Amino acid sequence: METKNILIKSATILNPKSAEKDNIEAFKGNLLIENDKIAEISKKNDEPINSKGVEKIIDGENKILMPGLINTHTHMSMNLFRGLADDMALDEWLNNHIWPTEAGLNGEYCYDGALLAIAEMIKSGTTTFNDMYFFMEDVAKAVDESGLRGCLSYGMIDFGDEEKRENEFKENINLIKNCNNTAEGRIKTFFGPHATFTASKELLERVRYEANKYNVGIHIHMNETKKEIEDVKEATGKLPFEYLEDIGFLNSDVLAAHGVWLSKEEIKIIKKRDVKISHNPCSNMKLASGIAPVQELLSKNICVGLGTDSVASNNNLDMFEEIKFASLLQKVNTMNPEALNSNQTIKMATINGANALNLEKEIGSIEIGKKADLILIDNKSVNLNPMSEKISSNLVYSANGSNVNTTICNGKILMEDRKLLTLNESKIIEKANKSIKKLKEIREELK
């Protein structure tokens, strides 16, 4: 029998609150989940919640209960490419290694890679992700089976080719029609124009029109490298965000991944149009793309969430690593140890991420009526002791994904005591290894 009502007792509850700047609420208490939502919260441990009708009780003693982490930029099926091409610049990485391997992709391989990524995310505390790639209906199948929450977009690339452009729209619109609000509402769909240097003006203008028509968001790579900035400026005479502003593309439904190289004028445009930014510190460092001005963006009340990018450029999906590196990178970039403090960084991975995906009314904080997307951290772990008085600092600077004991999404337990309950971990690993072996063989045949 599937558990519907869950009571979590005596946990230390950590709640990033959207209404108060940098404030995170922490208290000992109990929480009741009814079906897919948070139904009741007791802020005092001596005020027990009525357990009548509860089918599952979780002992939260010595555990931190917090919102599930939100990964705002992924390419999940690329989990097959872990370690495929390391220690090189983005241009070489894409042209000489990633794109030649992607030429052999099919739906089965993308499904296998997505399942591998989902297993990794569940085990490291991510409950929602935002993904752009290919064969996305196969990815949606993996999401449905796993119980995780995902926003999906098809990576649209046309390089000015009209026939290819029509195919890209067919793929993305089919994804929207077939998958939006499916899997008990856990799957949302976006349009996914890859970037300003891989998508034509015609594609970008039509994406804006179609996004309005279907009432869905837009997920795009922006301002990741200096070369990209130079290429766009040479082609259009404008910086990337200036170019998108000029063609009427930008709005509050746009999530821009990276935002590393931003001019003062572009930051003004981002603020004016309420564009959301996904910061990917590990990928940006590994590819030597640069350091995004996150502290400056946050100081202007621009919404910045966190993402891992793909494991081909990271090389894992551990959002706790991303949280730590985000904070440390801003400190060394600004030479200010107070930059991007632990409360701010936890908010980036939770409520800011929800806001970036326009899901802040459903997820990202622990509030009655919100979806039960929650994780429990084992605070008896050796790397978390002695515990800091400021819980967020322990989570940002000391924790990693292996400290996650239990993962709950949409009111369903996906992992308990480190054991996956909806997926067969060993079979997923075995199948993924076979898939990348076949893809490498295909790549060699195509040379």
Side-chain angles (χ1 to χ4, degrees):
M1 177 178 168
E2 185 179 335
T3 300
K4 293 293 184 183
N5 295 348
I6 303 169
L7 175 61
I8 302 172
K9 295 179 65 176
S10 304
T12 299
I13 299 176
L14 189 77
N15 185 28
K17 301 180 74 175
S18 57
E20 298 172 25
K21 187 178 180 181
D22 298 346
N23 184 46
I24 292 186
E25 184 181 34
F27 57 92
K28 193 76 177 281
N30 309 307
L31 182 143
L32 178 65
I33 298 168
E34 290 183 352
N35 298 313
D36 60 342
K37 291 186 174 67
I38 298 169
E40 196 173 339
I41 302 168
S42 167
K43 291 193 175 183
K44 291 184 180 178
N45 204 39
D46 58 358
E47 293 179 3
I49 292 170
N50 189 344
S51 60
K52 185 179 179 181
V54 168
E55 293 151 307
K56 173 78 174 180
I57 296 176
I58 296 174
D59 183 5
E61 195 68 48
N62 296 318
K63 291 184 176 64
I64 299 164
L65 177 65
M66 65 180 288
L69 303 180
I70 299 170
N71 188 337
T72 55
H73 182 60
T74 64
H75 308 288
M76 292 202 310
S77 297
M78 292 180 77
N79 259 53
L80 297 179
F81 299 168
R82 196 190 315 264
L84 181 70
D86 292 334
D87 303 325
M88 61 189 69
L90 177 64
D91 199 48
E92 180 188 356
W93 179 83
L94 272 175
N95 289 293
N96 299 337
H97 299 274
I98 300 302
W99 284 342
T101 309
E102 286 179 339
L105 282 172
N106 60 29
E108 181 183 355
Y109 296 144
C110 285
Y111 170 77
D112 293 342
L115 279 179
L116 186 66
I118 288 168
E120 183 177 352
M121 286 193 284
I122 293 171
K123 295 202 77 173
S124 53
T126 292
T127 53
T128 299
F129 64 90
N130 180 39
D131 197 62
M132 176 201 290
Y133 207 53
F134 312 118
F135 299 98
M136 294 306 291
E137 291 192 42
D138 294 279
V139 172
K141 180 185 172 187
V143 178
D144 187 12
E145 292 171 3
S146 71
L148 214 59
R149 190 179 307 281
C151 299
L152 309 181
S153 55
Y154 175 81
M156 307 171 76
I157 299 172
D158 70 341
F159 290 117
D161 184 311
E162 185 176 354
E163 185 178 346
K164 182 163 174 50
R165 185 184 316 136
E166 288 305 313
N167 182 69
E168 302 298 86
F169 276 103
K170 180 181 177 181
E171 289 282 354
N172 212 140
I173 290 171
N174 282 343
L175 173 68
I176 292 165
K177 288 180 176 178
N178 295 333
C179 298
N180 198 38
N181 291 315
T182 59
E184 301 144 337
R186 289 181 286 107
I187 294 177
K188 307 292 184 186
T189 55
F190 283 34
F191 277 97
H194 178 262
T196 50
F197 63 96
T198 53
S200 66
K201 180 183 176 184
E202 291 81 5
L203 187 147
L204 293 168
E205 288 178 329
R206 186 176 165 193
V207 161
R208 177 69 276 166
Y209 171 81
E210 299 287 0
N212 291 344
K213 175 182 174 181
Y214 287 99
N215 193 28
V216 298
I218 300 171
H219 180 194
I220 185 171
H221 298 86
M222 290 294 295
N223 297 50
E224 185 175 0
T225 67
K226 274 188 173 181
K227 186 179 186 305
E228 171 194 337
I229 306 297
E230 292 163 1
D231 289 348
V232 173
K233 192 166 185 181
E234 183 179 345
T236 68
K238 299 176 184 294
L239 296 173
F241 275 101
E242 293 174 334
Y243 167 57
L244 292 186
E245 172 72 349
D246 191 51
I247 65 173
F249 182 90
L250 300 174
N251 207 335
S252 61
D253 59 358
V254 174
L255 174 61
H258 300 297
V260 175
W261 298 96
L262 296 169
S263 69
K264 298 295 183 186
E265 185 56 39
E266 285 182 296
I267 291 174
K268 288 179 184 177
I269 292 169
I270 291 166
K271 172 66 177 174
K272 176 184 175 182
R273 296 300 178 192
D274 192 23
V275 173
K276 316 304 193 298
I277 301 293
S278 172
H279 177 43
N280 298 252
C282 289
S283 177
N284 294 159
M285 286 190 286
K286 184 163 181 281
L287 294 170
S289 299
I291 304 172
V294 171
Q295 189 64 57
E296 181 180 358
L297 296 174
L298 291 174
S299 72
K300 299 180 185 301
N301 292 319
I302 291 168
C303 177
V304 185
L306 280 175
T308 58
D309 212 335
S310 79
V311 303
S313 65
N314 187 301
N315 290 30
N316 66 42
L317 300 176
D318 188 341
M319 280 288 287
F320 280 102
E321 279 195 9
E322 221 67 41
I323 288 167
K324 180 173 182 175
F325 280 115
S327 178
L328 299 187
L329 194 55
Q330 291 306 300
K331 295 177 193 305
V332 74
N333 189 43
T334 61
M335 294 305 292
N336 176 10
E338 296 179 3
L340 202 55
N341 65 49
S342 58
N343 280 357
Q344 288 178 310
T345 319
I346 290 290
K347 288 185 73 171
M348 285 176 68
T350 53
I351 191 64
N352 283 22
N355 188 26
L357 299 173
N358 288 312
L359 292 174
E360 70 277 8
K361 292 180 180 178
E362 294 185 44
I363 59 173
S365 60
I366 297 177
E367 299 178 55
I368 292 172
K370 280 198 170 185
K371 295 289 187 180
D373 289 14
L374 305 162
I375 59 174
L376 284 159
I377 311 295
D378 183 1
N379 66 13
K380 297 295 284 184
S381 301
V382 65
N383 61 306
L384 295 181
N385 282 277
M387 283 289 290
S388 166
E389 289 185 10
K390 188 178 179 183
I391 297 171
S392 66
S393 72
N394 251 48
L395 293 174
V396 171
Y397 305 121
S398 302
N400 58 62
S402 67
N403 297 131
V404 179
N405 173 273
T406 299
T407 300
I408 300 169
C409 185
N410 215 45
K412 185 174 183 179
I413 301 172
L414 308 185
M415 179 180 75
E416 187 173 18
D417 294 327
R418 300 293 301 161
K419 181 176 174 56
L420 296 180
L421 302 183
T422 58
L423 300 173
N424 187 318
E425 186 174 353
S426 60
K427 284 187 178 179
I428 287 170
I429 293 170
E430 180 184 1
K431 192 111 187 312
N433 280 308
K434 287 179 179 177
S435 292
I436 187 56
K437 184 174 183 290
K438 290 176 184 175
L439 278 168
K440 286 178 179 177
E441 291 170 355
I442 293 169
R443 182 185 63 188
E444 293 307 307
E445 291 171 2
L446 292 173
K447 278 186 177 180

